[in-house]
Amino acid sequence: MDMDWGSIGFSYNKTEWRYVSNYKQGAWDEGGLTQEDTITLSECAGVLQYAQTIFEGLKAYTTADGRVVTFRPDLNAARFSDSAKRLEMPLFPEERFIEAVEKVVCANRQWVPPYGSGATMYIRPYMFGSSAVIGVKPAEEYQFRVFVTPVGPYFKGGIKPIVIRVSDFDRAAPHGTGDIKAGLNYAMSLHALITAHNEGFSENMYLDPATRTKVEETGGANFIFIKKDGTLVTPKSGSILPSITRRSICYVAEHILGMKVEHREVFLEELPDFAECGLCGTAAVISPVGKINDHGKEISLPSGMENIGPVLKELYDTLTGIQLGKLEAPEGWIHEIPLD
């Protein structure tokens, strides 16, 4: 395929094939590939009335030796099941989740960017209530779908630190849905995000709603902090989404780079004591933070605003090296897509 992979941007580009399976009368049908990219729904569908929808996000890569792989899709499948349980949706079998990902990536393999291009294939599995629901209750029918889209490098011109703010909005309530990947969590974060952008900030730092003294996450990424002694610290809370990227970074730090790792509550008053700060997630892997604005009080990280800090850089290089096949991966992390 003749594509300028470096210029496509991080946006949706329609590909030929997607996967669809429907749940009716208590069972999933066999599912399959389709070229139809539009969805016809009842005006009273559960997803439209009560936001009964969940999703996942992962990527396919072309490795240094020419294979097409995904990164830890079993964890995406397991998290998808956790999300479905919380929203009273039927479980889509985890082995079928991975098979669906394989089928869609294989069918659209010409859209997988080449190694070294900086681009990747983003994979979006999702499920929604499709039958009519007027009373407040779960839908009786559901649709599971997977589409893929090639995306350009998240950072054009290199990784540069961003400025974020401590938000007055709450992302998720204790015992709420903050620990699952539900569309409703992201919808309610949009106003806070746009408000932050309008005020000149790239993202929000959400605090715990109960005491507003502890760091939780941003609207779409987990936080990672580096102490001045080199220790990696990640916030612990029952309302934080269990990021697969964050869990992988912690493993890399402890078991490959020999770093000390702490997963614990992180207090707002600790922020000036950290040497580096980053946001981690599927899209960018690690986004370095240079400054945090707490209601006019500016906290400048020693790593600065020019470049990603040295420890986060090593973590980024190691994890992306594993994903792209340049470095040996822990067992089970790399799932090769069968292309036959």
Side-chain angles (χ1 to χ4, degrees):
M1 177 172 289
D2 185 19
M3 284 278 292
D4 182 2
W5 298 108
S7 66
I8 60 175
F10 199 89
S11 58
Y12 174 72
N13 295 277
K14 189 175 77 171
T15 56
E16 280 80 13
W17 296 95
R18 62 273 309 137
Y19 180 93
V20 180
S21 181
N22 290 288
Y23 181 90
K24 295 182 179 181
Q25 298 180 336
W28 289 102
D29 65 18
E30 64 180 10
L33 294 172
T34 178
Q35 290 189 306
E36 181 55 63
D37 65 316
T38 59
I39 300 169
T40 301
L41 287 173
S42 163
E43 63 184 353
C44 200
V47 62
L48 302 178
Q49 302 307 315
Y50 303 119
Q52 204 179 10
T53 181
I54 59 175
F55 69 98
E56 276 296 324
L58 62 159
K59 288 180 176 180
Y61 310 83
T62 301
T63 63
D65 59 3
R67 295 176 297 144
V68 174
V69 304
T70 56
F71 182 71
R72 309 189 78 178
D74 56 317
L75 297 188
N76 292 97
R79 191 169 64 181
F80 196 74
S81 293
D82 290 340
S83 298
K85 290 174 187 175
R86 184 64 178 81
L87 293 192
E88 287 297 324
M89 303 171 79
L91 301 186
F92 193 76
E94 293 179 20
E95 66 277 6
R96 286 191 61 188
F97 178 102
I98 295 175
E99 288 172 3
V101 167
E102 291 177 340
K103 287 180 179 179
V104 179
V105 174
C106 181
N108 294 289
R109 55 189 175 274
Q110 73 272 24
W111 290 95
V112 182
Y115 174 77
S117 65
T120 54
M121 172 179 275
Y122 193 85
I123 307 166
R124 173 52 57 85
Y126 61 111
M127 186 204 303
F128 54 87
S130 55
S131 60
V133 179
I134 195 64
V136 181
K137 62 181 181 179
E140 295 181 356
E141 298 177 359
Y142 296 84
Q143 189 168 105
F144 170 83
R145 299 177 70 100
V146 182
F147 70 81
V148 296
T149 180
V151 293
Y154 194 83
F155 297 111
K156 286 195 173 184
I159 303 173
K160 295 296 183 184
I162 60 175
V163 181
I164 66 174
R165 70 165 185 184
V166 175
S167 180
D168 288 326
F169 295 98
D170 293 330
R171 175 188 164 269
H175 313 295
T177 57
D179 61 337
I180 65 169
K181 208 162 177 68
L184 55 92
N185 292 339
Y186 295 80
M188 58 84 64
S189 73
L190 295 176
H191 177 66
L193 181 62
I194 296 304
T195 302
H197 288 174
N198 289 341
E199 294 177 4
F201 303 105
S202 296
E203 255 293 0
N204 289 290
M205 171 179 280
Y206 292 109
L207 305 179
D208 71 297
T211 70
R212 300 198 60 78
T213 61
K214 292 173 281 191
V215 176
E216 295 226 319
E217 63 165 282
T218 71
N222 282 190
F223 277 105
I224 50 177
F225 299 98
I226 306 298
K227 294 169 65 174
K228 292 174 182 176
D229 66 1
T231 300
L232 172 66
V233 180
T234 61
K236 183 178 183 179
S237 166
S239 56
I240 292 176
L241 183 75
S243 164
I244 294 166
T245 303
R246 186 258 298 162
R247 283 180 277 176
S248 302
I249 287 171
C250 288
Y251 183 94
V252 165
E254 183 174 4
H255 298 283
I256 297 178
L257 301 180
M259 296 169 57
K260 182 180 178 182
V261 174
E262 297 176 358
H263 184 52
R264 59 168 175 82
E265 291 183 335
V266 174
F267 289 86
L268 183 62
E269 63 185 18
E270 291 184 72
L271 295 184
D273 298 329
F274 291 117
E276 300 177 39
C277 171
L279 315 180
C280 62
T282 299
V285 184
I286 296 176
S287 302
V289 175
K291 294 180 182 179
I292 304 167
N293 188 293
D294 181 10
H295 300 85
K297 176 186 174 183
E298 195 167 77
I299 302 168
S300 296
L301 280 300
S303 52
M305 287 296 298
E306 292 300 315
N307 297 294
I308 186 172
V311 179
L312 291 183
K313 178 68 162 56
E314 186 174 22
L315 289 166
Y316 176 89
D317 288 344
T318 304
L319 186 58
T320 55
I322 289 170
Q323 292 171 334
L324 294 172
K326 295 188 291 185
L327 300 175
E328 184 178 354
E331 185 176 357
W333 279 27
I334 300 301
H335 181 85
E336 184 169 357
I337 300 294
L339 298 179
D340 297 332

